[in-house]
Amino acid sequence: MKRQDFYYELPEELIAQDPLEDRSSSRLLVLDKETGAVSHHVFKEIVDYLHEGDCLVINDTKVIPARLIGSKVGTNAKIEILLLKRKENNIWETLVKPGKKAKVGTKISFGEGLLIGEVIDVVEEGNRLVQFTYEGIFEEILDQLGQMPLPPYITHQLKDKNRYQTVYAKHTGSAAAPTAGLHFTPELLEQIQDMGVDIARVTLHVGLGTFRPVKVDEITDHHMHSEFFIIDEEATEKINRAKDSGHRVICVGTTSCRTIESAADETGHLKACSGWTDIFIYPGYQFKILDCLITNFHLPESTLIMLVSALAGREHVLAAYEEAVKERYRFFSFGDAMFIK
């Protein structure tokens, strides 16, 4: 299967640059995975497609303000750091721009010395290991100095950091938001629970590898980065109960989907567990647990459009995307949503 099989034309002006004032007023395209039929709605109407006994799986990871802009000690040259993965307490794997100014031994000052980073190693793909020194609590300093690591296709400044967090974000550790969850409000979640829908919380810390473009022609040659996930006993019980009673498991976002599919056994059940996953889902994959998916619109030729194509069929997905373009839907992280039923 070729990368270009998942290409579609997207006018640049349809890439959403800002979140809507009301999260749940995004548009919602509903796609029937069996027939390819589509219909158009507002996101809060998702309740019309959820039934008592269903289990809604959400990813409660929290994005860290991982983008730091500082200056090289000694020359004041501007250096930008993106925190990718905590290796030890004060040592992080990072993406540094420009890399040529960040040789081993380079010191970078942030917030006029409030935080100092020293490059201690160069690792896979040119990423840098940076050791930080500071006084106080790292998370508090990061909250003060860091910016949200918005994707490169968003060029507007984010006025409120919380708009790149889900309302249920809890466990800190992501370099990017699980954006399908951005459409939910506390009121909408309460309404869903009152309908008798179970809400299961899992955690997958989203790495930037999820959004890494597929550069190889044969998609099976693409290498996925691994991401850390946790599924606790409570979530396990809710998901297994829905499956055993003949109800549906509906994932909010590709990250929730990848989490439960990574941990599923051959019978389509879960056990509480944690670990690393590099699961790559593309057409031909047989879903073990997931029945339906709430998701945003994804980049052409990305692993994420391949995942939704595995669920609904490539032709159905590309036809639905063509319809969304024609109807002027808003695309990507701050864009509109799709429900694959």
Side-chain angles (χ1 to χ4, degrees):
M1 200 168 286
K2 303 290 186 187
R3 180 190 68 202
Q4 52 267 36
D5 292 340
F6 300 89
Y7 179 78
Y8 67 93
E9 289 281 350
L10 180 70
E12 201 172 318
E13 68 269 18
L14 295 186
I15 300 172
Q17 292 296 324
D18 303 288
L20 295 182
E21 194 68 36
D22 171 16
R23 290 173 183 256
S24 62
S25 66
S26 303
R27 293 166 78 188
L28 176 70
L29 185 148
V30 175
L31 170 63
D32 185 316
K33 63 178 182 282
E34 304 303 331
T35 67
V38 301
S39 55
H40 304 286
H41 308 267
V42 176
F43 188 80
K44 56 188 71 157
E45 292 171 14
I46 191 70
V47 293
D48 298 338
Y49 294 92
L50 304 177
H51 312 309
E52 186 177 347
D54 286 342
C55 182
L56 191 71
V57 184
I58 60 177
N59 179 9
D60 65 3
T61 188
K62 193 172 188 179
V63 185
I64 54 174
R67 188 167 168 252
L68 288 162
I69 296 168
S71 54
K72 185 174 175 178
V73 174
T75 68
N76 280 339
K78 182 183 162 189
I79 293 185
E80 183 179 319
I81 278 186
L82 191 63
L83 304 177
L84 298 178
K85 198 183 291 180
R86 189 176 229 149
K87 306 299 273 187
E88 294 169 39
N89 264 351
N90 296 320
I91 298 174
W92 286 76
E93 184 175 337
T94 68
L95 196 63
V96 180
K97 292 196 299 191
K100 61 180 184 294
K101 289 183 181 168
K103 297 183 171 63
V104 172
T106 299
K107 289 191 174 181
I108 307 154
S109 171
F110 306 94
E112 297 179 345
L114 199 59
L115 182 67
I116 301 286
E118 182 179 354
V119 179
I120 59 171
D121 201 1
V122 179
V123 292
E124 187 189 359
E125 295 182 356
N127 292 348
R128 268 58 175 176
L129 288 188
V130 174
Q131 183 161 27
F132 290 100
T133 51
Y134 51 89
E135 286 184 16
I137 298 167
F138 182 76
E139 285 73 17
E140 287 179 4
I141 294 169
L142 194 59
D143 204 44
Q144 186 182 333
L145 300 179
Q147 299 173 17
M148 282 302 187
L150 296 179
Y153 49 76
I154 294 176
T155 56
H156 291 191
Q157 276 287 99
L158 186 61
K159 295 184 183 77
D160 175 6
K161 277 183 190 176
N162 286 325
R163 292 313 307 272
Y164 195 58
Q165 296 284 19
T166 62
V167 296
Y168 46 77
K170 186 176 182 186
H171 300 291
T172 304
S174 275
T179 54
L182 297 178
H183 304 284
F184 287 91
T185 62
E187 296 77 19
L188 186 55
L189 286 166
E190 192 177 335
Q191 185 184 351
I192 289 166
Q193 275 185 304
D194 290 347
M195 291 165 55
V197 175
D198 259 338
I199 296 179
R201 290 169 166 262
V202 299
T203 306
L204 180 132
H205 292 318
V206 189
L208 293 180
T210 301
F211 306 106
R212 204 161 131 249
V214 177
K215 292 179 177 169
V216 289
D217 287 333
E218 282 291 340
I219 67 170
T220 49
D221 294 336
H222 177 72
H223 169 66
M224 292 284 281
H225 279 216
S226 59
E227 296 164 315
F228 186 73
F229 73 89
I230 304 166
I231 305 173
D232 67 14
E233 285 286 358
E234 186 184 348
T236 300
E237 281 170 22
K238 287 178 177 179
I239 293 165
N240 288 341
R241 183 164 63 233
K243 292 307 281 185
D244 290 340
S245 58
H247 293 290
R248 298 174 304 167
V249 173
I250 301 161
C251 284
V252 176
T254 55
T255 62
S256 302
C257 163
R258 291 174 63 247
T259 302
I260 63 169
E261 288 295 316
S262 295
D265 66 19
E266 286 68 36
T267 69
H269 288 80
L270 287 176
K271 288 190 177 132
C273 61
S274 64
W276 294 86
T277 178
D278 60 357
I279 189 170
F280 180 15
I281 296 175
Y282 52 85
Y285 179 83
Q286 297 296 311
F287 287 88
K288 302 184 185 79
I289 297 184
L290 173 131
D291 297 297
C292 308
L293 180 68
I294 297 168
T295 186
N296 278 18
F297 291 92
H298 304 295
L299 276 77
E301 301 184 337
S302 63
T303 61
L304 305 180
I305 197 171
M306 293 169 191
L307 184 152
V308 295
S309 296
L311 180 62
R314 187 182 71 90
E315 290 80 7
H316 288 168
V317 167
L318 290 177
Y321 272 54
E322 197 177 318
E323 172 84 357
V325 169
K326 193 177 87 185
E327 293 293 327
R328 311 292 290 172
Y329 273 66
R330 301 163 73 249
F331 277 66
F332 306 160
S333 297
F334 286 141
D336 294 317
M338 177 188 262
F339 177 53
I340 301 175
K341 66 172 186 164

